Amino acid sequence: MKRVILISVLTLIVLFTAEAQQQILVENSWYLTELNIDGVEHPIPSNDEIDGVTLYIEKESENCYNFATNICHGMFAHTCNITDSQIVFDIFSFTTLENCDSEENINFGALYESFYTIHNENEPVSYTIDNSEGDIMILTVTNKLGYRATYINQSSQENMQQMLVENSWYLSELNIDGVVHSAPFNEEINGVVMQILTNEENTNCYEFITDICNTLFDYTCNITDTQINFDNIVATTLDNCWDEDNLEFSGLYNLFFMKNDLAPFSYSIDTSRANILKLTVTNKFGDCATYFNQTVSTNETLGRPITVYPNPASDVIHFDGDIINLKMYNSLGQAVKIGVNNGQIDVSSLGNGIYYLVITGLENARKVEKVIIAK
């Protein structure tokens, strides 16, 4: 008897969970934050033509729903087959929207449409909804090729501006013309921080500040949930950069902001990992600056925890964990080792002293480890 009751209770829990997932899916408007095609992340356009991409699944009848989303074209489908983890669409239909002229928007629109239309009739897409953060819910849709479209519920998007302002942002990398430049960490430059602070006299306006060799300042009263419009960025020179690599990176970083003129920057914040926020700022040329909230960038890595041993070391340093890249600096800020070979680096040629390992993990999260060479 007890076994029958237990099975009945478990069945009710499963049915309740399924209904809850479907209800969350249908009751929310979903705002696209990331499109990942074959491992490549494509930034969401946010410009004069496209101000975000929204997805709706609305109830039509007791068990049937209408699907709608749009970018350059309106894309529609009908389904009477939604489970707690899958959606099976009928044939898609399209309406032409005369709002796409730029090549960037047209190309992204084609990628987004093919993400769904690659499926034949009766082929499901899978989905998950992460509601562990309360009001902030994340919808991840995965197609049959494993490509992912990630959305955040529309009401949560209103919190983007608040998250942007409440956090200090630690630069991870610059992507200029498709070339990735990792942020420096050495004797001169101990990280690059960007902050957008609420103005004390006018709480509807904000002060922007970031620095590396130069400090960039601006004052703006125009920040939306997807865009930052700067008025007039001003640079002041700091006498703390002599290293050529630092000066070169500083020039790239300053130009990333300065060459945008008065055009808006688009931004998105990835909240898919608890307490780990990833900010991507994109200028009008498609160049990107990627930041993490400060605690993640300085103290945590994504993926398996990274272990460094032995410390002190004499000949070889070993590493366990998910390492994408590694640079080793001496106490003068000079790079003495780059990269890892079979989970280790040879330090036998280095002199005794203190060294710094800048380790890049998954998602470009960074960790700094101090090691001692003693022979």
Side-chain angles (χ1 to χ4, degrees), residues 144-195:
K144 67 179 183 180
L145 298 179
Y147 303 162
R148 297 190 312 276
T150 303
Y151 304 81
I152 193 166
N153 56 320
Q154 184 95 1
S155 60
S156 299
Q157 193 69 11
E158 298 170 2
N159 297 325
M160 289 296 175
Q161 185 174 331
Q162 184 177 350
M163 282 190 282
L164 180 69
V165 174
E166 287 181 348
N167 283 276
S168 296
W169 299 100
Y170 193 97
L171 184 67
S172 172
E173 68 179 29
L174 273 179
N175 189 315
I176 306 294
D177 294 330
V179 179
V180 175
H181 305 268
S182 296
F185 186 95
N186 49 54
E187 190 77 9
E188 289 183 345
I189 304 298
N190 186 14
V192 182
V193 180
M194 188 267 287
Q195 291 181 297

Side-chain angles (χ1 to χ4, degrees), residues 7 9 18 27 30 37-38 55 66 87 95 111 126 133 139 180 208 210 215 252 254 268 352 361 364 374:
I7 292 173
V9 170
E27 288 184 347
W30 300 99
I37 304 294
D38 200 20
L55 177 147
N66 291 318
I87 309 169
T95 60
L111 279 175
S126 61
E133 296 298 310
L139 167 67
V180 175
F208 161 84
T210 188
T215 298
L252 287 172
N254 293 344
S268 63
N352 292 344
N364 287 304

Side-chain angles (χ1 to χ4, degrees), residues 81-283:
N81 190 348
I82 296 182
T83 70
D84 60 336
S85 62
Q86 291 187 332
I87 309 169
V88 179
F89 295 112
D90 296 338
I91 296 173
F92 286 93
S93 61
F94 300 89
T95 60
T96 300
L97 305 175
E98 297 180 359
N99 66 334
C100 278
D101 293 319
S102 78
E103 185 176 350
E104 175 197 10
N105 293 341
I106 292 170
N107 290 341
F108 185 87
L111 279 175
Y112 185 56
E113 289 167 16
S114 66
F115 172 85
Y116 285 101
T117 58
I118 195 172
H119 293 80
N120 298 318
E121 188 174 356
N122 297 325
E123 285 186 324
V125 297
S126 61
Y127 77 93
T128 59
I129 298 174
D130 179 2
N131 59 355
S132 60
E133 296 298 310
D135 291 337
I136 298 177
M137 290 181 284
I138 298 158
L139 167 67
T140 302
V141 180
T142 306
N143 72 10
K144 67 179 183 180
L145 298 179
Y147 303 162
R148 297 190 312 276
T150 303
Y151 304 81
I152 193 166
N153 56 320
Q154 184 95 1
S155 60
S156 299
Q157 193 69 11
E158 298 170 2
N159 297 325
M160 289 296 175
Q161 185 174 331
Q162 184 177 350
M163 282 190 282
L164 180 69
V165 174
E166 287 181 348
N167 283 276
S168 296
W169 299 100
Y170 193 97
L171 184 67
S172 172
E173 68 179 29
L174 273 179
N175 189 315
I176 306 294
D177 294 330
V179 179
V180 175
H181 305 268
S182 296
F185 186 95
N186 49 54
E187 190 77 9
E188 289 183 345
I189 304 298
N190 186 14
V192 182
V193 180
M194 188 267 287
Q195 291 181 297
I196 297 179
L197 308 171
T198 303
N199 183 266
E200 294 182 359
E201 297 180 359
N202 184 349
T203 55
N204 293 317
C205 296
Y206 306 90
E207 298 167 3
F208 161 84
I209 182 170
T210 188
D211 65 84
I212 172 174
C213 300
N214 296 295
T215 298
L216 302 180
F217 298 95
D218 197 18
Y219 179 84
T220 177
C221 299
N222 193 350
I223 296 180
T224 71
D225 56 351
T226 59
Q227 290 188 336
I228 307 169
N229 291 266
F230 291 117
D231 295 333
N232 181 30
I233 296 178
V234 176
T236 62
T237 302
L238 302 174
D239 293 327
N240 67 334
C241 279
W242 307 102
D243 182 86
E244 288 185 9
D245 290 339
N246 292 342
L247 290 169
E248 181 181 354
F249 187 90
S250 177
L252 287 172
Y253 188 57
N254 293 344
L255 191 60
F256 169 81
F257 286 102
M258 304 289 281
K259 71 178 182 180
N260 216 49
D261 300 322
L262 296 178
F265 291 82
S266 62
Y267 77 93
S268 63
I269 300 176
D270 180 358
T271 61
S272 59
R273 295 173 182 266
N275 300 320
I276 298 176
L277 303 178
K278 176 185 175 183
L279 168 67
T280 303
V281 180
T282 306
N283 67 16

